[in-house]
Amino acid sequence: MKKILRILSMLALSLVVFAACSVEGEDKKVESSTKESTSTVSSEKETKANAKDFTVGVSISTLNNPFFISLKEGIESKAKEEGLNVVISDAQNDSSTQSNQIEDLITQKVDLIIVNPVDSTAVSPSVTAANDANIPIICVDRGSDEGEVLSFISSDNVEGGKMAGKYILEQIKENDKVAQLEGIPGASSTRERGQGFEEATKGKIDLVASQTANFDRAEGLTVMENMIQANPDIKAVFCQNDEMALGAAEALAGNKNDVIIVGFDGNEDAIAAVKEGKLAATVAQKPDEMGKIAIETALKHLQGEKVDKEIASPLELITK
């Protein structure tokens, strides 16, 4: 009997020891898991803190246009807020200059390049060169015809063109004479805004003239002067950006006929001109917001997060 009691006592002790070891093992697992979790959080914080160590190169098509000045300001303000280094250059509406700028950024081995192309076709070799150097590219407002783009941030230019076309149709009679001032040939925004305008107005207007004025105010004035001389009965003109619209408004200032002028961008001068009655309307974009989105997208990618291939920025038709 005593022998049986000793055996039972030994078994009970073994169970206690085993249970204690199991609890200790579980404690160590929990401790290990907690340490691992803490380490992961710490690592994530460290990655985000290292955002200040990244450098992003930026090439903007031109800073001789309020729209792109606002784009630049959006980029700078968001980069400053995030502690991100940015190197910004002005391509001065010259594709060769922009190509050289992107080549310099590749040589400097920046972490990412944000580009607002002068010309969507001409920028393609530069995008491909960045691809070959494993430097991601984000396009803003205008895309690239070739090469791999990480993300394309823009307004829906086709929809904006439709908005302008529909507004003009509401203001004129069917088959009235209408003109169009086009942007830089080859720019994706030129093609898309023209496409939207055509889709909205085809068969409903008499499009008597459609010529480029290169998104430039002075050229807009000259081209509009020539158009109105050749077609004095023009009732409306769609300008694919506000700078050309303001030039057109100057050209038509002394015209006895009230010509409806619709621009595109929503820059400060254009909005003021709408209030004054010099322009009928403008399809307003938000370039500063585009710039901020570009920096947010760049940082997300650099910190290992997935980003959208295309990101839309909102549009609004502004009238008096």
Side-chain angles (χ1 to χ4, degrees), residues 179 181 208-213 218-234 247-248 251-252 255:
L181 295 187
V208 294
S210 186
Q211 295 176 229
T212 182
E219 287 191 47
L221 188 156
T222 302
V223 173
M224 192 70 246
E225 283 178 338
N226 294 333
M227 282 183 172
I228 201 67
Q229 284 180 4
N231 301 279
D233 296 329
I234 287 174
L252 295 169
N255 192 281

Side-chain angles (χ1 to χ4, degrees), residues 204-259:
K204 300 173 184 177
I205 62 169
D206 180 9
L207 187 64
V208 294
S210 186
Q211 295 176 229
T212 182
N214 290 305
F215 289 135
D216 183 78
R217 189 181 299 200
E219 287 191 47
L221 188 156
T222 302
V223 173
M224 192 70 246
E225 283 178 338
N226 294 333
M227 282 183 172
I228 201 67
Q229 284 180 4
N231 301 279
D233 296 329
I234 287 174
K235 300 298 183 184
V237 55
F238 169 49
C239 304
Q240 292 181 357
N241 85 335
D242 283 339
E243 287 296 286
M244 294 188 297
L246 292 165
E250 191 174 342
L252 295 169
N255 192 281
K256 62 180 180 180
N257 298 322
D258 289 330
V259 180

Side-chain angles (χ1 to χ4, degrees), residues 3 50 76 103-104 122 129 135-136 154 162 166-167 173 186 203 244 247 268 295-296 302 308:
K3 187 175 182 179
N50 286 341
E76 287 177 326
E103 185 179 338
D104 288 344
I135 297 175
S154 72
K162 287 180 182 178
K166 289 175 182 177
Y167 176 78
K173 296 176 183 177
M244 294 188 297
E268 290 183 10
I295 291 297
E296 288 172 355
L302 292 171
D308 293 331

Side-chain angles (χ1 to χ4, degrees), residues 60-73 88-93:
I60 295 176
S61 61
T62 178
L63 291 177
N64 191 30
N65 181 323
F67 179 87
F68 296 113
I69 291 172
S70 294
L71 174 65
K72 172 178 175 283
E73 289 171 349
I88 300 177
S89 53
D90 175 8
Q92 300 175 355
N93 260 342

Side-chain angles (χ1 to χ4, degrees), residues 115-298:
V115 59
N116 158 238
V118 173
D119 184 299
S120 299
T121 302
V123 81
S124 296
S126 298
V127 172
T128 302
N131 294 158
D132 292 341
N134 294 317
I135 297 175
I137 290 273
I138 292 175
C139 282
V140 182
D141 187 53
R142 302 169 188 164
S144 173
D145 288 347
E146 296 179 17
E148 183 66 27
V149 173
L150 174 69
S151 187
F152 178 32
I153 299 161
S154 72
S155 302
D156 187 336
N157 285 305
V158 174
E159 182 58 31
K162 287 180 182 178
M163 289 168 68
K166 289 175 182 177
Y167 176 78
I168 286 175
L169 289 175
E170 292 171 0
Q171 310 304 314
I172 64 173
K173 296 176 183 177
E174 190 170 346
N175 293 321
D176 271 351
K177 293 181 178 179
V178 177
Q180 179 177 217
L181 295 187
E182 302 172 14
I184 294 172
S188 60
S189 54
T190 297
R191 294 194 300 262
E192 291 162 4
R193 293 172 192 180
Q195 176 189 334
F197 182 69
E198 181 181 5
E199 289 178 7
T201 60
K202 192 172 183 178
K204 300 173 184 177
I205 62 169
D206 180 9
L207 187 64
V208 294
S210 186
Q211 295 176 229
T212 182
N214 290 305
F215 289 135
D216 183 78
R217 189 181 299 200
E219 287 191 47
L221 188 156
T222 302
V223 173
M224 192 70 246
E225 283 178 338
N226 294 333
M227 282 183 172
I228 201 67
Q229 284 180 4
N231 301 279
D233 296 329
I234 287 174
K235 300 298 183 184
V237 55
F238 169 49
C239 304
Q240 292 181 357
N241 85 335
D242 283 339
E243 287 296 286
M244 294 188 297
L246 292 165
E250 191 174 342
L252 295 169
N255 192 281
K256 62 180 180 180
N257 298 322
D258 289 330
V259 180
I260 294 161
I261 306 170
V262 178
F264 198 120
D265 280 344
N267 68 37
E268 290 183 10
D269 288 351
I271 292 171
V274 169
K275 290 178 180 178
E276 293 168 9
K278 295 177 181 178
L279 298 183
T282 179
V283 180
Q285 302 189 83
K286 297 183 178 180
D288 58 335
E289 188 64 22
M290 282 186 191
K292 291 175 183 177
I293 293 171
I295 291 297
E296 288 172 355
T297 305

